[in-house]
Amino acid sequence: MWDKDNLRNTNFGVLLQFPSPAPKIIMTDLHQKNCIPCRGEVPPFDISEIHKYLKKVDGWDVKKNKDEIYFLEKNFKFKNFSESQKFVNMVGNIAETEGHHPDIIFGWGYATIQIFTHKIKGLVESDFILAAKINKI
């Protein structure tokens, strides 16, 4: 028999302990996730979803190109060409590992990274994952 007031089984003297309330589900840090290859079956994020994710990737801007496609962009500054090139190579390694490739422009003392999912002509979570991983360099 159960003693409902004390949550104790009176036959065995067992006290039931319920787990504390489940923690609120927090989105995993994006840099810890992996990019998912896009096959074109998902729609791009709308502007409200883009702004939600943008808060999770410091320093990135959302822009639109001439075809009205949203993309992420971030400019990086370096002391010289060698540092720019080293950074771009690290970005390339991440891109290859993730199977998600940004557009990269670089030269003496700078690099600009632009990210969007070409297949759907817009932004999805994988774009923000890649941006977060680049931020960790």
Side-chain angles (χ1 to χ4, degrees):
M1 299 297 255
W2 288 98
D3 175 351
K4 291 181 185 175
D5 295 326
N6 295 316
L7 299 175
R8 193 177 294 278
N9 183 316
T10 54
N11 293 333
F12 300 105
V14 176
L15 178 66
L16 289 180
Q17 292 183 325
F18 293 98
S20 32
K24 290 182 180 178
I25 297 174
I26 298 172
M27 185 181 289
T28 302
D29 286 338
L30 290 174
H31 75 276
Q32 294 176 339
K33 291 185 166 191
N34 293 105
C35 296
I36 298 169
C38 180
R39 293 180 176 84
E41 70 276 359
V42 297
F45 283 172
D46 63 25
I47 195 68
S48 65
E49 196 74 7
I50 289 170
H51 284 291
K52 180 177 120 182
Y53 275 83
L54 190 59
K55 293 175 186 174
K56 300 179 182 306
V57 289
D58 292 335
W60 290 84
D61 295 316
V62 174
K63 296 186 175 184
K64 265 189 192 180
N65 66 17
K66 63 180 170 30
D67 297 321
E68 298 291 306
I69 297 170
Y70 288 109
F71 63 94
L72 296 174
E73 182 176 87
K74 187 170 182 178
N75 297 304
F76 298 85
K77 301 286 183 205
F78 303 97
K79 292 180 190 172
N80 54 44
F81 183 84
S82 180
E83 286 187 15
S84 299
Q85 186 177 30
K86 181 179 175 185
F87 172 77
V88 166
N89 287 335
M90 288 189 282
V91 170
N93 290 337
I94 292 169
E96 279 298 303
T97 299
E98 294 298 320
H100 194 45
H101 303 91
D103 295 329
I104 302 171
I105 304 160
F106 83 105
W108 196 99
Y110 76 93
T112 299
I113 309 293
Q114 296 176 343
I115 305 171
F116 73 102
T117 300
H118 294 80
K119 189 131 194 158
I120 60 167
K121 298 179 177 152
L123 295 170
V124 292
E125 185 180 49
S126 289
D127 299 307
F128 293 90
I129 291 170
L130 183 58
K133 287 178 182 287
I134 291 169
N135 276 354
K136 288 293 181 180
I137 295 175

